[in-house]
Structure formats: structure tokens, C-alpha cells
Amino acid sequence: MDARLANTWRLTLNEKNFIKTALLSEIRIDGRKPFEFRNISINFGREDGSAEVQLGQTRVMGIVTAKFVQPYRDRPNEGTLTIYPEFSPMADPSFEAGRSGESAVELGRIIDRGLRESRAVDTESLCIVAGKLVWAIRIDILILDNGGDLVDAANIAALAALMTFRTPECSLGGEDGQEVIIHPPEMRDPLPLILHHLPIAITFGFFIDENVVVIDPIHNEEAVMAGRMIATVNANGDICAIQKAGEGVSQRVIMQCLQLAITKAADITKQIKAAVEAYNSERALQKIKRETTCVGNSVKGDQNQTLDNKGISELVGKYMERLKLISVESYASQNINAEEIKSLRRGTDSNCIKFNSTPLSWDPYSKGVDLECLKASVASQGLSTASEEKEASGQEKGSEAESACPYEDVNSKWSAVDASTTEMHVIGPKTLKDAVKPKNKRKKKVSSMI
Amino acid sequence: MEVDREDGRSQNQLRPLACSRNILHRAHGSASWSQGDTKVLAAVYGPKAGTKKNENPEKACIEVIWKPKTGQIGKPEKEYEMILKRTLESICILTVNPNTTTSIIVQVVNDDGALLPSAINAACMALVDAGIPMKHLAVAICCCVAKSGYVILDPTKLEEQKMKAFAYLVFPNSVRSVLPEGSLRVEGEPIENGIITSVTHGIMSVADYFYCLERGRAASVKLSDFLRRNLQQQSTDSSKAG
């Protein structure tokens, strides 16, 4: 008990008086003006859905993950969104490991109200099979460094992570149309979440004299302030949530703060969008690079399994891991071999094939054939036997589409097209139509020859 | 024997290392360590007054908190905490500040193989940043043994899963001292030949294990050099207050 008292961080009386007196003359101890926000920098991690935000000295990381669950009974066609704030003991000497204190719970609730209850995240698009299978999005908020104003930084981190998170595309298929097929990222681009608006939280601190209001308090100011208001607003001027605690403040001051919050929210929204844009364009570039040098790996049949209600979450958990591993694998593997492509067609069951290819030719069709194999193996319960007959039919489909051209010709045709186009497109022809390739591609081919 | 690794590295090649100190403002010492895509953040608070109940009050006590990237804290995290604690206790000079607790918090930012060695390296750097007195630094490395018997260093997560066995090895760093050589030897051998911690997973023969030790020790020299350069470059900050 004594040890804990000795270890708590406390401001001295002198420091407290200094802060208050300076604020009466509109001077803040870090040199900002009362209504000035600190610099925000947003960085993204290696995987989709992880963002780190630095607001002055405050540092927060947001991580978004998703898994399959059964929906709540009263909302059968909506996915779920849960927020897990974690006040890591590295952020502040007074944060303890284990159960988080009330401020952590409060932070979680404020962000939850802003994101979920204001319908910023579209939960209906997270539904896969109504009443049976929906995506459950989990947002982990890790506070790494407490420099004050954790709610604002955590909110921005959560938004940035949500905007860059991608769920794998799922479709219904199989014999009775009830089985869910998860498409790995090489076959189909994973989908971003739908966000209707961006709720931004702005924190105001009130000091003894009610005319003294500051925005974005640092931790020293937070220890001195008498009252606090957190307004979650969006750039459209909607107020999503308000949380006020501490000393009473007049209505006029509250209205002024809300007006100010809306202006600041517009700025911050612009910053977040710019950062996400930059990340997305970089990701697209990397994807082009990655796919010109390697083609999907031969995934074992059991990984694209049809799901039933039992054991969904663990299967998907494993699968999500495998997805990540596959994308890492494909990023790392370098070359494609013509012979290996043929062995792929036969559906050889090796876990990781190394390919050797000529760097410039990009071969969507070898992927196409692969997917035919996979789709066949996915759709049927018996994995090995059915795949071979369907693979034969898959090859037939491919050749039919190209009006009985042999496989190699198709390849050369398409590599010619690709050499002339720089557009990035989704890989994974699935039906006959897709195998023929979209019309815009054909037009481009014609125009390039003219 | 030429071995093809997926990212094109040779058998004994480590992934690119990146390390920065003093990145957090409230913590007394902090460091971020990344090996390839594995990234770990470590923060140190201490020494704080008082030791825990079962600890010896005549010595300083070290407390480790391991935070995974997502999810609950379970048994694997507790195991990592225990291994880290024992490793760091053996390198810190515990008699300087008796009846105090130094807390080390490790946060996993990304896990792509060799997680525990990265965490040990990060924790060591954070302790240096905080100014906790230590005898020498700890340098950690991961070695994998494949089914066909060859040994690779610093595996990625995929490689770790495919291998027959792997070992996390922690060595003391190489010593550069003005004292005469004889005085630094422990029982006639130089300090670098010692081993602080070893954790193995999977089956490997004794010969394989010794081969791993050899390779690991060679790599630890490179890591020590990297650490030394890194620590010398960054200028020390003024002391943090509060």
C-alpha cells in the first residue's frame, strides 16, 4: 500500500498553480493556443486494419480483426462491432496490468457510441447468411503512451484502422446454396468495410473560471482541470455523442464548444482521409508488384472448406491465419515455372510450390485454372475424387471460352494484353463469363493494336 | 549445402534489423525492435519502491508484463513473461537497488517469427535506455532445424511452423573492455562463450543442438555489433521527470 502511494505520479501544488495562472492569460504550458490541436500523424502497420496514431506525445494503436459468429437473436441480419480498449501499463505508471480501470471503460463506451450507435459502420453489410452467419468486427485499442487526450487519439486510431481493414469476400455456393465459400485474397480482392461517416471525438477541458476552455488537453492539464466534455461530431455537422463530467458549465459555453468541435472535426476528417488514401495507393502498387511476379499457390483442398454452423469460428480463425500466411507466402515467393503450372493443372497437392517466371508476363489464366480446381474441390464434400472430374470440365470451360484455343495460346494472348495495359484488376475468373474476361479488356487490346 | 529460403536469404542470413530507443515519453526507458516484419515495443518503469510478496527484499526485483497483439492473456504469454524475467534477472545487477521493482512491459506489434528473441532484444535496449545497471547485454537469436538436418537462422513464422524443431538462444554480448583479458574470464572461458537462456521446441538430436549453438553464437557477434553501433549513435536524452 505504501509502495503504491509512493509510486503514483502527482503534480506538485506549484505546477498546478502555474498551469491555472497561465491559462487565465490564455497561455498553455506547451505553447499552444487554447483552441489549437496538436499535430496528428497516422501510420499504418504491415497488415490490413492496423493503425498507429500519434497526437503530440500521446500514442495509440488500433487493430481491427474479424471472425464469424452467429448474430444476436433480435438482429438476425446485422454484424457486430465490439471495442476492446486496453490501457497498457507502458503508457502511464498509474495504469495497472489486468483489469482496466473506469477510464478505460469510459473510453471504450465513448468510441462505441460514436461508431456503432450512430451507425457509422454499416453492420447490415456484414451479414453473410441471415440468422446464421455474420462477421463480428473486433477493434482493439492499445494505449501505448499517455500524453493526454486519449479519447481523441483512440478514436482516430479506430477510424483509421477500420478504413483500411479488409474482409475476405464470401459467397454462397455449394449444392444447396447454403454453404459459404471464403475466397482467399489472391483469388478475389478482400472487401473494405462500409463507413457512412467519420465520427471524430474532440475533448474540451474546463478550468475553475468557466471562461477558460482548452481543446486537446495534455496530461498535466488533465490533472488540473475541473470539468471535461467530449463531443463526438462528424464533418457534416451531426453530433453523434456528447459526454460531459465535472463542474457545471453554462449553456452558452457548451454551444460554443460544439461549434468549434464541428470545425475541428472537418480538419481531422481531411487528415484521416488523406492518410488512408496514401496507404491505399501504396497497397495497390504493392499488389501489382506482387502479382506480376507470382501466381497463387496451390492451396490444399481442406483450406477452402465449406462451412456448417459447427466449429465455424475456430475453422475461420485458422483460415484467417492461413490467409495471412498465404499472402505473406505469395509476397515472398518469386518466380513461376511453366512446368509447374502444368502440375498445378493436375491439381498436385503440395503445400507451397515455388514458381519461376519471366518477370514481365503476367498470367491470369493459370490462376483461373487453379480456381476452377479449387472451386470444384470446395463445392463437393469429397475433395479428391470430385476434383479431378470437375477439373477436366474446368479445362473444357476454359478452352470453350476461348473458342477452342489451346491453353498456351490463351496465355500468350493475355500476356500481350497485359504488357500493354497498366490497369490492375481482380484475379480469379470463376464462371464462363469471367473466363472470357470483361469487355473493357478486349477493347483495350484492340485499341493497342491500332 | 545450399538451401532455398522463401525470401531469398541464405542459411545464416538474418532479416533486416531496425531498432530505436526513447520512443515513448512517459516511460523511463523504451525501445522498439524489428527483425523483418516482427516488431516488438518494450517500455521500462523503474526502479519503483517495494518488491512483490514472494520476492527477496534484499535484491531488486524485475517484473515483466507481456501484451499480445490481440486477444486474452493466456498460458503462452505467461511462459514468455517467465522466460524474459529469468533472462533479465541474470543480466541486471540486482544488488545495486535492493527492495525495488523494475517493470518491463513488452507489447507485440507484429509477429512474423522469432518473437521471443525480438522481445528479449527490445527489453534489453529499453533497460539500457532507462539506465538500469547491467553486467552485460543479452543478445537473442532463433535457430531452426529442418527435417533434412540443415540449420537456418532467424526464421519467419511460416518457416518456424514448417521446421522440425527450433531453439531460442540468448548469449551475452561480445565484450570490448580496457581491462586485461584474463580478468574477464569466467572459469577460464571468455564471457561470450556462455549461454544465458535456451528454449527449444520440437525434437532435435544433440549434435543438431550443438550445431545450432555454434551458428547462434556466430550470429550473436553480428547482433552485438549492431547493438553497439546503435547505442553509440543515439545521443542520450536529459533525464525524464514524471
Side-chain angles (χ1 to χ4, degrees), chain A residues 19 27 38 99 108 132 140 154 173 194 222 234 272 335 337 413 444 450:
Chain A
I19 295 176
I27 300 173
R38 284 177 284 180
R99 298 303 274 134
K132 286 195 199 149
D140 283 284
I194 301 177
E222 280 186 344
N234 68 13
I272 300 179
N335 305 314
N337 200 344
K413 225 197 264 183
K444 285 212 171 160
I450 295 169

Side-chain angles (χ1 to χ4, degrees), chain A residues 46 86 90 92 145-146 332, chain B residues 6 25-26 37 45 49 67:
Chain A
R46 183 85 173 80
E86 230 189 272
M90 71 164 60
D92 196 303
D145 206 0
N146 180 11
Chain B
E6 272 161 20
H25 297 94
R26 298 301 295 281
D37 279 337
Y45 280 99
K67 291 269 176 200

Side-chain angles (χ1 to χ4, degrees), chain A residues 325-448:
Chain A
L325 295 177
I326 290 174
S327 53
V328 170
E329 225 177 350
S330 54
Y331 186 70
S333 71
Q334 311 246 322
N335 305 314
I336 302 176
N337 200 344
E339 292 135 18
E340 308 253 25
I341 294 176
K342 286 184 190 151
S343 66
L344 249 192
R345 285 165 66 193
R346 273 172 231 120
T348 48
D349 200 11
S350 54
N351 214 345
C352 166
I353 300 181
K354 289 205 66 179
F355 306 118
N356 298 311
S357 80
T358 57
L360 290 178
S361 68
W362 173 37
D363 212 339
Y365 257 85
S366 52
K367 253 207 182 175
V369 173
D370 198 20
L371 183 62
E372 293 295 343
C373 271
L374 285 175
K375 191 201 167 191
S377 54
V378 162
S380 62
Q381 292 294 326
L383 302 171
S384 47
T385 50
S387 64
E388 290 191 40
E389 359 163 4
K390 291 203 182 170
E391 185 218 354
S393 69
Q395 284 186 4
E396 278 173 346
K397 270 191 199 172
S399 53
E400 269 177 86
E402 288 301 310
S403 45
C405 283
Y407 180 65
E408 281 73 32
D409 279 2
V410 169
N411 278 353
S412 54
K413 225 197 264 183
W414 283 113
S415 37
V417 174
D418 284 319
S420 60
T421 61
T422 50
E423 162 195 346
M424 182 192 82
H425 82 134
V426 178
I427 299 163
K430 202 179 156 200
T431 62
L432 211 56
K433 269 191 196 168
D434 287 350
V436 172
K437 276 302 170 207
K439 289 184 183 159
N440 55 359
K441 275 279 178 188
R442 289 193 163 183
K443 278 183 191 162
K444 285 212 171 160
K445 182 192 164 200
V446 170
S447 65
S448 72

Side-chain angles (χ1 to χ4, degrees), chain A residues 6 73 119 150 234:
Chain A
R73 287 249 178 86
R119 308 235 159 241
L150 293 174
N234 68 13

Side-chain angles (χ1 to χ4, degrees), chain A residues 3-4 6-7 9 46-47 50 52 54 56-59 61 63 65 86-93 96-98 138 140 142 144-148 219 321-322 325-326 328-329 332-334 352 354, chain B residues 4-8 23-28 32 37 39 41-45 47-51 63 65 67-73 105-112 156-158 161-162 241-242:
Chain A
R4 218 196 285 172
N7 288 331
W9 168 77
R46 183 85 173 80
E47 294 173 355
S50 105
E52 192 186 292
Q54 206 152 0
Q57 287 191 354
T58 304
R59 205 167 155 137
M61 203 160 83
I63 299 170
T65 47
E86 230 189 272
F87 277 32
S88 168
M90 71 164 60
D92 196 303
E96 285 173 10
R138 175 190 167 121
D140 283 284
L142 304 168
L144 300 174
D145 206 0
N146 180 11
H219 68 280
E321 271 304 303
R322 180 69 203 165
L325 295 177
I326 290 174
V328 170
E329 225 177 350
S333 71
Q334 311 246 322
C352 166
K354 289 205 66 179
Chain B
D4 281 329
R5 292 173 80 170
E6 272 161 20
D7 45 5
I23 38 184
L24 300 178
H25 297 94
R26 298 301 295 281
H28 297 152
S32 138
D37 279 337
K39 188 163 170 201
L41 202 60
V44 171
Y45 280 99
K48 299 188 281 196
T51 50
E63 172 195 21
I65 301 169
K67 291 269 176 200
K69 187 172 176 184
T70 56
Q72 299 276 8
I73 296 186
I105 302 109
V106 175
Q107 171 73 52
V108 176
V109 176
N110 197 24
D111 179 12
D112 189 28
T156 58
K157 194 158 189 170
L158 283 169
Q161 288 170 344
K162 285 192 297 183

Side-chain angles (χ1 to χ4, degrees), chain B residues 97-198:
Chain B
N97 295 315
N99 203 18
T100 59
T101 308
T102 304
S103 311
I104 297 159
I105 302 109
V106 175
Q107 171 73 52
V108 176
V109 176
N110 197 24
D111 179 12
D112 189 28
L115 185 60
L116 187 58
S118 308
I120 294 176
N121 290 329
C124 203
M125 293 288 280
L127 283 171
V128 171
D129 193 42
I132 308 290
M134 295 193 279
K135 301 172 203 155
H136 50 76
L137 299 177
V139 170
I141 193 108
C142 177
C143 308
C144 278
V145 178
K147 292 187 191 69
S148 36
Y150 60 86
V151 168
I152 57 172
L153 292 179
D154 200 15
T156 58
K157 194 158 189 170
L158 283 169
E159 290 176 339
E160 250 181 24
Q161 288 170 344
K162 285 192 297 183
M163 293 288 149
K164 173 175 79 163
F166 59 89
Y168 297 135
L169 302 165
V170 185
F171 301 99
N173 73 329
S174 54
V175 178
R176 202 177 290 175
S177 163
V178 294
L179 298 173
E181 246 205 55
S183 64
L184 285 175
R185 287 177 172 245
V186 178
E187 291 179 4
E189 282 197 52
I191 294 185
E192 297 90 76
N193 284 0
I195 179 168
I196 301 176
T197 304
S198 155

Side-chain angles (χ1 to χ4, degrees), chain A residues 201-378:
Chain A
I202 312 272
T203 305
F204 295 88
F206 306 111
F207 295 81
I208 347 153
D209 183 346
E210 75 162 22
N211 292 317
V212 183
V213 183
V214 301
I215 211 174
D216 188 16
I218 59 174
H219 68 280
N220 288 340
E221 292 169 341
E222 280 186 344
V224 180
M225 64 190 182
R228 181 171 83 147
M229 177 170 90
I230 302 170
T232 308
V233 297
N234 68 13
N236 301 335
D238 301 324
I239 299 178
C240 306
I242 301 182
Q243 176 110 340
K244 159 113 195 21
E247 290 240 355
V249 175
S250 74
Q251 184 195 37
R252 177 186 55 87
V253 175
I254 299 277
M255 293 311 288
Q256 278 174 355
C257 291
L258 289 176
Q259 297 286 356
L260 187 58
I262 294 175
T263 339
K264 294 291 178 189
D267 280 334
I268 298 179
T269 310
K270 255 188 261 167
Q271 274 185 302
I272 300 179
K273 283 191 176 162
V276 172
E277 273 302 307
Y279 171 77
N280 281 337
S281 43
E282 207 194 292
R283 187 174 173 273
L285 278 174
Q286 275 191 356
K287 197 177 173 213
I288 295 178
K289 267 192 236 167
R290 188 176 78 201
E291 281 156 2
T292 46
T293 57
C294 100
V295 165
N297 300 312
S298 151
V299 180
K300 266 190 184 159
D302 63 340
Q303 282 158 356
N304 266 7
Q305 268 177 325
T306 54
L307 298 173
D308 51 47
N309 286 336
K310 301 170 196 168
I312 290 173
S313 48
E314 39 161 85
L315 190 63
V316 178
K318 197 169 53 124
Y319 188 74
M320 295 294 275
E321 271 304 303
R322 180 69 203 165
L323 276 186
K324 289 180 194 163
L325 295 177
I326 290 174
S327 53
V328 170
E329 225 177 350
S330 54
Y331 186 70
S333 71
Q334 311 246 322
N335 305 314
I336 302 176
N337 200 344
E339 292 135 18
E340 308 253 25
I341 294 176
K342 286 184 190 151
S343 66
L344 249 192
R345 285 165 66 193
R346 273 172 231 120
T348 48
D349 200 11
S350 54
N351 214 345
C352 166
I353 300 181
K354 289 205 66 179
F355 306 118
N356 298 311
S357 80
T358 57
L360 290 178
S361 68
W362 173 37
D363 212 339
Y365 257 85
S366 52
K367 253 207 182 175
V369 173
D370 198 20
L371 183 62
E372 293 295 343
C373 271
L374 285 175
K375 191 201 167 191
S377 54
V378 162

